[in-house]
Amino acid sequence: MKVVVKTLTFSTREKFELVNITDEVEKAVSESGIINGICLIFAPHATGAIVANENEKGLIRDILDHISQLFPPGKNWLHNRIDDNAHAHVASSIIGASLTLPVINGKVIRGTWQDVFFVEMDGPRTNRRVIIEVLGE
Amino acid sequence: MKVVVKTLTFSTREKFELVNITDEVEKAVSESGIINGICLIFAPHATGAIVANENEKGLIRDILDHISQLFPPGKNWLHNRIDDNAHAHVASSIIGASLTLPVINGKVIRGTWQDVFFVEMDGPRTNRRVIIEVLGE
Amino acid sequence: MKVVVKTLTFSTREKFELVNITDEVEKAVSESGIINGICLIFAPHATGAIVANENEKGLIRDILDHISQLFPPGKNWLHNRIDDNAHAHVASSIIGASLTLPVINGKVIRGTWQDVFFVEMDGPRTNRRVIIEVLGE
């Protein structure tokens, strides 16, 4: 068994933003040399999330707008007595900060319309990280 | 370490539908010969999802109705300028297209009321797929 | 490859409650002796969930309140003709009952503000379980 880890670091520019990390995921898997196993994509952040979906400009706006409607920044959150990002914490809890994809025959498996995104919900931030862990053999 | 993969292919008949794949998951794990490890269930689709819950007729209707209320097909989505299924894309992003279950002592672990379902949110479709990957030894 | 499993059992006291299991997750990983791999945290319950987020009193209330608003116990659910907890089933389906964290250099990876919680949504219950499975080498 082999475990190969790659950590992405990047900045975000907007309060709500999708950062497309698909190429980095593909590259991490192909560089790992692992033929069969899994690829775990994990954001060590309580105000971000990881999702897989289509890289279409209108849809990206739809996803972000809908998140901000389901988890409204302006709600009277208790956590906002000491901070201003409760909406992002609650959204991160429910959407989830990790995604696991199969790795089969040397390729990471995803659908035609499934790019992988980090979801920023409390930006802009200068130091966001995503851990890509490939495990298998 | 051993990796065994099984791909399910099936059609869906409704716009919103739960397809129970529990038996196929159980079978994939028992046929894999893997005693301890994990079972990753992954839908390579941006308008579907994977969930675990109770196989009760009323509840199945509740889950589907509630998804269509949280992600209304009739909302003025930007993605619907070029397609008609933005609700399903946004729901898939948030609900998630993968589920990982423990495999212990030769059995996949799930609760008494946790059947495994593919969630169709943009049906009917003739070619849906779910990948069941069992990894362990 | 090595697989080490630990099962937590506990009671809950409220209808909606977050049970912090971070210490048990850390301990399971360090006691496993596994250096690199993954840690799967799985609740075998259809009315609970697993989330990662900040252990702040106000935020904990926010998360629970928001779940009960997105999945209202008082809605006219069909499942409630035979039970009284449809809200918890639907929420469990969408939030998800599993979480996978990386294990790297002998430590489970999580963000500074990511504690791990079992989400009770149909309490109080006397016999809740969470399975912590560490897989790697």
Side-chain angles (χ1 to χ4, degrees):
Chain A
M1 209 204 69
K2 202 171 151 183
V3 174
V4 179
V5 179
K6 186 176 179 177
T7 302
L8 311 179
T9 58
F10 52 90
S11 300
T12 57
R13 284 167 295 186
E14 309 289 339
K15 188 180 183 76
F16 287 93
E17 182 180 346
L18 288 188
V19 180
N20 195 328
I21 57 172
T22 313
D23 288 350
E24 286 85 350
V25 170
E26 296 269 359
K27 212 175 152 195
V29 172
S30 81
E31 289 178 354
S32 74
I34 288 170
I35 307 302
N36 292 299
I38 57 171
C39 177
L40 169 60
I41 300 140
F42 175 71
H45 298 293
T47 55
I50 302 288
V51 301
N53 221 276
E54 186 178 348
N55 186 20
E56 192 274 311
K57 209 180 154 185
L59 182 63
I60 286 172
R61 202 61 259 155
D62 287 334
I63 292 171
L64 296 173
D65 288 351
H66 207 64
I67 289 173
S68 80
Q69 285 164 28
L70 289 177
F71 309 95
K75 188 182 168 182
N76 188 22
W77 306 99
L78 296 174
H79 182 62
N80 285 357
R81 294 177 184 174
I82 60 166
D83 208 333
D84 63 354
N85 58 3
H87 70 280
H89 281 282
V90 178
S92 175
S93 303
I94 289 176
I95 302 172
S98 86
L99 171 69
T100 307
L101 298 174
V103 174
I104 302 174
N105 295 329
K107 297 187 74 167
V108 64
I109 304 299
R110 57 187 181 88
T112 315
W113 313 109
Q114 280 178 316
D115 275 23
V116 181
F117 296 92
F118 171 77
V119 188
E120 175 61 83
M121 298 181 289
D122 186 34
R125 292 290 190 99
T126 53
N127 193 20
R128 288 304 204 183
R129 287 188 305 137
V130 171
I131 292 158
I132 303 171
E133 179 181 20
V134 194
L135 179 156
E137 63 182 13
Chain B
M1 208 203 72
K2 203 171 151 184
V3 174
V4 178
V5 178
K6 186 176 180 177
T7 302
L8 311 179
T9 58
F10 51 89
S11 300
T12 57
R13 283 166 295 186
E14 308 289 339
K15 188 179 183 78
F16 287 91
E17 182 179 346
L18 288 188
V19 180
N20 195 327
I21 57 172
T22 312
D23 288 349
E24 287 84 351
V25 170
E26 296 269 358
K27 211 176 152 194
V29 171
S30 83
E31 289 179 355
S32 75
I34 288 170
I35 306 303
N36 291 301
I38 57 172
C39 177
L40 169 60
I41 299 140
F42 175 70
H45 298 294
T47 54
I50 301 289
V51 301
N53 221 277
E54 187 180 348
N55 186 22
E56 191 274 311
K57 209 179 155 185
L59 182 63
I60 285 173
R61 202 61 258 156
D62 287 333
I63 292 171
L64 296 173
D65 288 349
H66 207 64
I67 289 174
S68 79
Q69 285 164 27
L70 289 177
F71 309 94
K75 187 181 169 183
N76 188 23
W77 307 98
L78 295 174
H79 182 63
N80 285 358
R81 293 176 183 174
I82 60 165
D83 208 334
D84 63 354
N85 57 3
H87 70 280
H89 281 282
V90 178
S92 174
S93 302
I94 290 176
I95 301 171
S98 85
L99 171 69
T100 307
L101 299 174
V103 174
I104 302 174
N105 295 331
K107 295 187 75 169
V108 63
I109 304 299
R110 57 186 182 88
T112 314
W113 312 110
Q114 279 178 317
D115 274 24
V116 181
F117 296 93
F118 171 76
V119 189
E120 175 62 81
M121 299 181 288
D122 186 35
R125 292 290 190 100
T126 52
N127 193 20
R128 289 302 203 184
R129 287 188 303 138
V130 170
I131 292 157
I132 303 171
E133 181 181 18
V134 193
L135 179 155
E137 63 184 12
Chain C
M1 209 203 72
K2 201 170 151 183
V3 174
V4 179
V5 178
K6 186 177 180 176
T7 301
L8 311 179
T9 56
F10 51 90
S11 299
T12 57
R13 284 166 294 187
E14 309 289 338
K15 188 180 183 78
F16 287 92
E17 181 180 346
L18 288 188
V19 180
N20 195 328
I21 57 172
T22 312
D23 288 350
E24 286 85 350
V25 170
E26 296 271 358
K27 211 175 152 196
V29 171
S30 82
E31 290 178 354
S32 73
I34 289 169
I35 307 302
N36 292 300
I38 58 172
C39 177
L40 169 60
I41 299 139
F42 175 71
H45 298 293
T47 54
I50 301 289
V51 301
N53 221 277
E54 187 178 349
N55 187 21
E56 192 274 310
K57 209 181 155 185
L59 182 63
I60 286 172
R61 201 62 257 155
D62 288 333
I63 292 171
L64 296 173
D65 288 350
H66 207 63
I67 289 173
S68 79
Q69 284 164 27
L70 289 177
F71 308 95
K75 187 182 168 183
N76 189 23
W77 306 99
L78 295 174
H79 182 62
N80 286 357
R81 295 176 184 175
I82 59 166
D83 208 335
D84 63 354
N85 57 3
H87 70 280
H89 281 281
V90 177
S92 174
S93 302
I94 290 176
I95 301 171
S98 86
L99 171 70
T100 307
L101 298 174
V103 174
I104 302 174
N105 295 329
K107 296 188 72 166
V108 64
I109 304 298
R110 56 187 183 89
T112 315
W113 313 109
Q114 281 177 316
D115 274 24
V116 181
F117 296 93
F118 172 76
V119 189
E120 175 61 82
M121 300 181 288
D122 185 35
R125 292 290 190 101
T126 52
N127 192 21
R128 288 304 203 182
R129 287 187 305 138
V130 170
I131 293 158
I132 303 171
E133 180 181 18
V134 194
L135 178 155
E137 64 182 12

